[in-house]
Amino acid sequence: MDLKESSMRLEPSPSRPPTHTLAESDLTRAFKCTANAVFVTDQSGKIVWVNDAFCRLSGYCEMDILGRSPAVLNSGQQSHLFYSDLWHTITSGKPWRGIVVDRRKDGMLYTVDEVITPLLGDDGNITHYIAIQHDITPRSQEHEQESYLAYHDVLTGLSNRAYFLSKQQQAMFEAKRNQRMVAVLFIDLDKFKMINDTLGHATGDALLVAVAERLRSAVRKNDVIARFGGDEFAILVADIHDINIIVALAKKVLDILSQQFLLGDHIVHTYASVGIATYPNDSEEPEVLLTQADQAMYRAKKAGGNRFELYAPAVSKMQ
């Protein structure tokens, strides 16, 4: 939880003395012992009370945090609009609930399910805000891991087919609006099966990881590289206006993959076959465009490999 510091610095009414401490009561003793992190601010947004669970979670002891704004927990993960909505809700006297990423004193991030409730005095005015935080960091990390595995290749860390196709569809939509081109390069390693069979799967896996690293070095920051399984890779190049840009990239890929790989005690030589299909010239359907690039790659492989081919509808129909 993070209250906008600039907004929280409101001077209390002169007719009402500012409240800096909470009187000891059964309620505060209960909150002191609860497993959830709890902190309380006064009406100006300064922290006036924390429990032990908050100190353990945030890394701040009472001496560190009392008198400071909750902005000290700001992780930078939430937008200004997020905090504006939070502040508008609680200053109107309504409770607020949300998922917040905070930053510990040691700099580590943690995620909480947080409820902030305004406390009203006898006159109906807000006197304090009480925040109760439930640590969901393990659950959040587990969700992030599941999300990552759903869209990435475990071995190389590259995108997988599902992620590639989603980005391809998005790129084609934007290209249509901006009258640009999108290209798909389908890449298949030549001699990979022989390397895998003769030198072992560990060396084969090391080669795939090394290939992924070289492909990363060849593309632009916003290009997408994916591994579809085995020794098949693909590159998505969006927002282009000239086919020569793609041809130059294909030549660069062939060059870097034809250079020897040093994998442990083995020096490995391989090369690649590359097929290229472009939107809107070849297809306006993501799956079809990918299939066309695959067909062009197969033609390059049949021609001896270590080369690229552009998709040609007439030639593909003859195969």
Side-chain angles (χ1 to χ4, degrees):
M1 178 268 184
D2 190 352
L3 302 178
K4 193 74 177 165
E5 184 169 5
S6 60
S7 301
M8 294 297 289
R9 288 181 173 174
L10 304 176
E11 293 297 328
S13 170
S15 62
R16 185 191 311 116
T19 303
H20 297 294
T21 61
L22 290 179
E24 185 73 355
S25 67
D26 291 339
L27 180 61
T28 55
R29 284 195 294 271
F31 277 133
K32 191 74 175 176
C33 299
T34 187
N36 286 333
V38 181
F39 68 90
V40 180
T41 75
D42 62 18
Q43 64 270 41
S44 71
K46 295 296 183 291
I47 297 175
V48 297
W49 187 89
V50 296
N51 71 349
D52 294 340
F54 172 83
C55 294
R56 290 192 297 269
L57 183 60
S58 70
Y60 289 96
C61 67
E62 282 187 305
M63 293 291 291
D64 292 328
I65 204 73
L66 292 184
R68 302 179 69 176
S69 162
V72 71
L73 304 173
N74 192 350
S75 67
Q77 302 293 304
Q78 287 81 221
S79 68
H80 173 74
L81 184 62
F82 177 91
Y83 289 116
S84 294
D85 175 68
L86 182 160
W87 180 237
H88 175 75
T89 300
I90 62 176
T91 54
S92 66
K94 301 175 184 177
W96 177 92
R97 180 175 182 175
I99 304 299
V100 186
V101 179
D102 280 341
R103 188 179 300 277
R104 286 173 46 87
K105 183 180 180 180
D106 61 11
M108 297 294 291
L109 300 182
Y110 61 99
T111 305
V112 294
D113 183 353
E114 183 165 6
V115 178
I116 306 173
T117 304
L119 301 182
L120 306 181
D122 294 338
D123 57 3
N125 291 317
I126 296 172
T127 62
H128 296 85
Y129 299 98
I130 181 168
I132 302 176
Q133 299 179 325
H134 175 56
D135 183 18
I136 60 170
T137 304
R139 190 201 317 168
S140 176
Q141 291 173 339
E142 182 178 344
H143 175 73
E144 290 176 3
Q145 178 69 4
E146 290 176 352
S147 178
Y148 179 86
L149 293 176
Y151 293 105
H152 290 82
D153 172 56
V154 176
L155 177 64
T156 63
L158 296 177
S159 304
N160 62 12
R161 185 186 184 94
Y163 184 82
F164 187 91
L165 282 170
S166 69
K167 298 298 287 186
Q168 183 184 339
Q169 188 168 30
Q170 178 184 340
M172 291 166 70
F173 175 80
E174 293 176 355
K176 183 176 183 179
R177 182 180 58 192
N178 300 324
Q179 297 185 324
R180 305 287 275 184
M181 295 172 56
V182 174
V184 172
L185 285 73
F186 202 102
I187 304 164
D188 187 88
L189 298 182
D190 297 319
K191 303 196 301 183
F192 177 75
K193 186 177 185 305
M194 181 188 70
I195 293 169
N196 211 35
D197 291 345
T198 58
L199 299 180
H201 294 295
T203 300
D205 286 350
L207 175 59
L208 294 173
V209 172
V211 166
E213 286 302 312
R214 290 193 185 182
L215 291 178
R216 287 189 181 99
S217 70
V219 302
R220 303 173 305 177
K221 181 179 179 180
N222 294 329
D223 295 337
V224 178
I225 314 171
R227 178 184 174 225
F228 290 168
D231 59 343
E232 293 182 340
F233 297 83
I235 300 175
L236 173 66
V237 186
D239 193 29
I240 54 177
H241 64 279
D242 188 347
I243 190 64
N244 290 320
I245 295 174
I246 302 305
V247 169
L249 176 59
K251 291 179 178 178
K252 185 177 183 180
V253 167
L254 292 174
D255 178 59
I256 62 174
L257 296 185
S258 65
Q259 298 173 26
Q260 70 179 27
F261 292 84
L262 179 59
L263 306 173
D265 297 330
H266 303 291
I267 296 177
V268 175
H269 295 271
T270 186
Y271 46 91
S273 298
V274 179
I276 302 170
T278 61
Y279 165 90
N281 298 341
D282 297 321
S283 177
E284 296 187 2
E285 297 294 329
E287 283 277 12
V288 174
L289 195 68
L290 195 56
T291 299
Q292 291 170 338
D294 188 13
Q295 292 171 349
M297 180 279 297
Y298 182 71
R299 200 166 71 247
K301 187 175 285 288
K302 281 187 67 176
N306 197 25
R307 59 183 292 138
F308 71 89
E309 292 283 349
L310 296 170
Y311 175 71
V315 176
S316 298
K317 288 179 182 179
M318 294 171 57
Q319 294 178 341

